Amino acid sequence: MFQLFKLTLREKKWVVLSFLCTIFVAFFSYVFVDMIQPIIDEMWGLGSPAVQAAPAKFRFMDVVFRFLHVSKQDIRLVLPFIVVVVIFGKGLFTFLSSFFMKAVGNKVVKTMRDDLYGHILYQSTGYFDKVTTGDLMARLTNDVDKIQQAVSSAMSDMIEEVFILLALLAQMFLRDWTLALSSFVIAPLAVIPLVAFSKQLKKKGLQSQVKMGQIYSLLHETITGNRIVKAFTMEQFELKKFLKSTWSFYKINLKLAWISSLSSPFMEFMGGIVGAFILYIGTKRIADNQISPGDFGAFAIAIFMMFTPIKRLSRANNVIQQAAGCYGRIQEVLESQPQIQDIPGAYPLPSVKGYVSFENVSFSYNESRPVLFDVSFEVLPNEMVAIVGLSGAGKTTIINLLSRFYEPTSGKITVDGIDIRDVTLASLRSQIGLVTQDIILFNDSVRNNIAYGLEDMSEERIVAAAKAAECHNFIMELPEGYETSIGERGGLLSSGQRQRLAIARALLKDPPILILDEATSALDSESERLIQSALAYIMKDRTTFVIAHRLSTIRNADKILVIDKGIIVESGSHETLLKNEGIYRKLHDLQFPEVEEIG
Ligand code: ADP
Ligand code: MG
């Protein structure tokens, strides 16, 4: 609640404007009530005994009449005119204050969304292992919307209605404080339920948001994975899961609806009781000649006019309570610090030659299960090193550590002798070209996907990279060549084509360190052979890490690391490893049963 106020204060100018307009709205409400007394006493009750005896009190309208030099006879003529002015004034300022606050809401929400998105982009890889896309999406859309509602309408209602209430209270007390005080004795009857209702609303509102996040997660999973769902004919299963989620979402919302629908009529009923009591006291006060019928009329109108603000306040309170829950969920995202950040005093990594060393590196994704044990190796500039091992052995993990997507639990990784923890993330990653197992392409043109992250790339270089990666021919066959949009996640291309695009992207970046993590696994032998020769040429002047299952592709590596269950069990050249008669030899014999001896 307090934080929401702080949020709105970011847009001081608009808030102040809206605030000023609100004061005018309250002022016009005050005057409106004040007009009631002369309307009743002067226009309808003129000449009646009650009016002749009307007790003298401070009345704002008397000041107005005196200021306008309106004589008692003319009041009848002037009043209708004043009514129009007052209602117009109230309307005008209501419009202005509402518009200004809506502007604030929209601005606050834009900033918040931008902050969130920026924050999420900079989170470390480990963060995305833990969160679900759908939940994050829900927070970015649904929760932010709730906050917008709160800031745009509820916040301004809060301020406006409080002022109006104050104006009306002033009316009541100035007119007859005895009557006003006695009204207040039973007013708590109407206020206490308000508190109880809003507590419930906040609790249920939060539950509803959490459910919504789950629904988004399910949606995201099954829409992106629709092929797998179909292939395994899991539609019924997924549908059931979804129905279960929407059912509990529905139940919570039903409870929410119950509470929020009940709150207004219930409060109104309580208000009615309060009103009946006031009617009783009021008529007594007139009979005792303490107030005129006009005064009581004005008093009653003031009480009636309080209904709307109180109702709106309770509604605004509901919205704000819900938004407070959402704000917490957003804060949760904003407060999670990226685990891997530039250390204070991090400096940009100078252009490297490509000397990479792992010194006793151990690592686990989660404390319970270590993935790498005491891994040490050295790679000289321009060497090609291959990492071989069964799937799940920890090959990709080594690469993840080198790119600093994760940080070793112990040990040290250096590039050109510099500890990668001491340099900025951006400068490290800019010198690493990465082609991963799962190719990430964006819903953009072929050209922009190849030149991703590289501005002002000349057409020739893009085409040259595409040719080297054996992409050019199939790109030219696409409907719009390099301008063809390749669909979400490159869905309009075959997996082999996607891999080749990713290789072209890495080649164009021309980094001193190139990593190919099963980058050619989806290629047919023919394309792979073609790319191999291109790659061999490119690997000459850079350090290259190759992870491949097909041992034929790594035969020429300067060094082969064989990793098993997170431990480097063998290393050396193809020939030495074959002579070793170890794991590598076994893998090799499995793939080339006909070849008995090499060299
Ligand atoms: P591979 O040699 O096939 O590339 P990885 O390095 O990807 O193997 O994985 C090594 C081990 O780490 C596997 O047992 C895998 O289950 C686990 N693992 C990989 N990524 C994560 C992750 N993000 N969170 C937790 N465990 C992971
Ligand atoms: Mg892997």
Side-chain angles (χ1 to χ4, degrees):
M1 164 84 194
F2 173 68
Q3 289 136 331
L4 284 180
F5 261 117
K6 242 171 55 184
L7 267 186
T8 47
L9 284 184
R10 282 197 205 159
E11 303 300 321
K12 281 203 191 64
K13 208 170 56 192
W14 295 102
V15 173
V16 167
L17 273 175
S18 171
F19 187 75
L20 290 178
C21 294
T22 302
I23 293 180
F24 278 101
V25 175
F27 169 75
F28 281 110
S29 304
Y30 181 91
V31 178
F32 182 82
V33 174
D34 233 315
M35 290 183 320
I36 305 298
Q37 183 266 331
I39 286 175
I40 294 177
D41 287 347
E42 306 291 336
M43 295 178 81
W44 299 337
L46 209 63
S48 82
V51 175
Q52 279 156 14
K57 283 180 189 302
F58 167 79
R59 294 185 179 96
F60 183 73
M61 284 313 278
D62 292 343
V63 181
V64 175
F65 292 143
R66 223 172 301 138
F67 178 74
L68 294 175
H69 301 291
V70 181
S71 67
K72 244 183 171 352
Q73 285 73 26
D74 290 341
I75 287 179
R76 274 201 272 185
L77 300 174
V78 176
L79 260 180
F81 177 70
I82 296 183
V83 168
V84 173
V85 171
V86 167
I87 291 179
F88 175 78
K90 187 166 182 243
L92 177 68
F93 284 103
T94 305
F95 152 69
L96 286 176
S97 79
S98 150
F99 171 73
F100 291 143
M101 272 323 268
K102 287 211 162 78
V104 172
N106 280 296
K107 189 68 196 301
V108 162
V109 160
K110 181 192 178 325
T111 322
M112 184 175 274
R113 231 175 230 143
D114 296 348
D115 284 355
L116 266 176
Y117 182 63
H119 196 80
I120 291 171
L121 271 187
Y122 278 98
Q123 286 296 324
S124 321
T125 325
Y127 180 78
F128 296 97
D129 295 342
K130 284 186 227 113
V131 298
T132 68
T133 315
D135 184 59
L136 276 186
M137 302 272 273
R139 288 177 202 223
L140 265 156
T141 52
N142 223 336
D143 293 47
V144 173
D145 280 345
K146 281 263 155 46
I147 290 184
Q148 169 156 14
Q149 273 177 27
V151 174
S152 289
S153 54
M155 242 19 180
S156 65
D157 274 0
M158 263 307 194
I159 302 171
E160 185 167 317
E161 305 305 346
V162 164
F163 274 106
I164 293 180
L165 273 182
L166 285 178
L168 295 176
L169 281 177
Q171 271 293 353
M172 291 163 61
F173 276 92
L174 287 175
R175 214 157 278 282
D176 185 1
W177 65 267
T178 327
L179 189 54
L181 271 186
S182 37
S183 319
F184 273 90
V185 174
I186 58 160
L189 217 58
V191 178
I192 289 170
L194 176 73
V195 182
F197 277 124
S198 64
K199 244 195 192 145
Q200 276 302 311
L201 272 171
K202 183 178 178 184
K203 204 173 112 200
K204 291 279 177 268
L206 194 63
Q207 288 174 0
S208 152
Q209 292 305 106
V210 171
K211 282 281 167 229
M212 195 66 216
Q214 289 173 0
I215 290 177
Y216 271 49
S217 296
L218 283 178
L219 275 177
H220 178 82
E221 256 175 34
T222 41
I223 291 175
T224 51
N226 75 85
R227 265 184 236 194
I228 300 299
V229 174
K230 281 197 178 56
F232 285 82
T233 53
M234 289 294 269
E235 288 96 338
Q236 277 303 322
F237 174 80
E238 294 294 346
L239 190 61
K240 268 198 202 126
K241 236 176 16 178
F242 192 75
L243 292 185
K244 217 172 119 195
S245 273
T246 48
W247 177 248
S248 53
F249 183 61
Y250 164 78
K251 277 199 303 197
I252 290 174
N253 280 350
L254 211 58
K255 279 184 198 143
L256 262 174
W258 163 270
I259 301 167
S260 64
S261 306
L262 184 64
S263 76
S264 292
F266 187 79
M267 309 254 305
E268 217 159 297
F269 174 68
M270 290 312 212
I273 295 179
V274 174
F277 176 78
I278 292 165
L279 189 64
Y280 171 74
I281 307 258
T283 38
K284 215 166 154 247
R285 298 279 294 164
I286 297 176
D288 295 348
N289 207 18
Q290 296 292 324
I291 48 173
S292 76
D295 284 326
F296 182 71
F299 191 94
I301 292 280
I303 292 251
F304 262 113
M305 282 174 68
M306 280 177 136
F307 272 150
T308 318
I310 288 181
K311 232 160 74 179
R312 284 216 186 135
L313 273 182
S314 87
R315 199 173 51 200
N317 188 44
N318 295 346
V319 175
I320 288 174
Q321 292 302 333
Q322 281 195 33
C326 297
Y327 186 79
R329 281 161 51 83
I330 285 169
Q331 235 16 53
E332 217 175 83
V333 176
L334 287 178
E335 275 164 12
S336 57
Q337 286 300 320
Q339 281 158 344
I340 299 170
Q341 280 179 319
D342 293 344
I343 56 161
Y347 56 94
L349 179 67
S351 278
V352 296
K353 290 204 190 64
Y355 173 80
V356 175
S357 126
F358 273 54
E359 296 168 31
N360 310 99
V361 171
S362 295
F363 176 74
S364 63
Y365 286 101
N366 35 43
E367 276 95 47
S368 54
R369 205 168 54 97
V371 173
L372 290 184
F373 301 89
D374 207 19
V375 168
S376 298
F377 62 86
E378 260 185 12
V379 185
L380 302 179
N382 302 341
E383 264 188 349
M384 167 190 177
V385 52
I387 307 178
V388 177
L390 300 176
S391 83
K395 304 181 295 292
T396 302
T397 306
I398 290 181
I399 297 316
N400 282 342
L401 294 181
L402 178 58
S403 312
R404 229 180 138 210
F405 291 141
Y406 298 88
E407 220 136 46
T409 17
S410 66
K412 190 163 109 177
I413 301 169
T414 61
V415 174
D416 278 18
I418 301 170
D419 191 329
I420 58 170
R421 277 172 295 204
D422 295 338
V423 296
T424 60
L425 281 169
S427 67
L428 172 69
R429 290 177 188 159
S430 71
Q431 304 202 39
I432 297 178
L434 183 59
V435 183
T436 49
Q437 255 162 315
D438 16 62
I439 307 294
I440 308 295
L441 296 173
F442 296 95
N443 186 13
D444 201 341
S445 65
V446 171
R447 172 209 312 279
N448 289 343
N449 265 292
I450 296 179
Y452 186 68
L454 306 166
E455 282 158 36
D456 309 324
M457 214 20 106
S458 74
E459 189 68 28
E460 294 90 70
R461 291 191 57 191
I462 293 176
V463 173
K467 279 185 175 153
E470 295 293 326
C471 293
H472 185 70
N473 289 341
F474 84 76
I475 293 173
M476 293 317 283
E477 280 166 20
L478 293 172
E480 291 165 64
Y482 280 83
E483 300 307 327
T484 314
S485 180
I486 57 173
E488 195 175 16
R489 306 187 121 239
L492 306 182
L493 300 175
S494 80
S495 52
Q497 290 171 332
R498 286 203 290 271
Q499 276 196 336
R500 281 179 276 172
L501 268 194
I503 292 172
R505 179 195 276 171
L507 295 184
L508 186 61
K509 191 174 176 183
D510 193 23
I513 300 171
L514 178 65
I515 297 170
L516 305 170
D517 186 354
E518 298 184 21
T520 53
S521 59
L523 297 187
D524 52 279
S525 320
E526 176 60 14
S527 326
E528 190 180 17
R529 197 181 52 76
L530 284 170
I531 290 190
Q532 281 305 329
S533 52
L535 285 180
Y537 175 73
I538 287 148
M539 285 174 193
K540 273 203 306 232
D541 8 300
R542 69 198 77 230
T543 303
T544 314
F545 288 82
V546 179
I547 298 174
H549 282 298
R550 254 175 263 167
L551 298 186
S552 58
T553 53
I554 55 161
R555 192 167 286 184
N556 304 324
D558 298 296
K559 191 179 285 160
I560 299 172
L561 305 173
V562 183
I563 179 162
D564 185 37
K565 299 198 183 82
I567 301 169
I568 295 192
V569 285
E570 292 172 48
S571 69
S573 70
H574 178 70
E575 283 76 19
T576 14
L577 286 178
L578 277 188
K579 285 197 197 98
N580 265 1
E581 305 274 335
I583 290 187
Y584 185 80
R585 173 76 199 215
K586 266 191 216 141
L587 288 172
H588 184 271
D589 289 351
L590 279 174
Q591 288 190 14
F592 306 98
E594 73 281 8
V595 183
E596 283 299 306
E597 199 68 46
I598 284 287

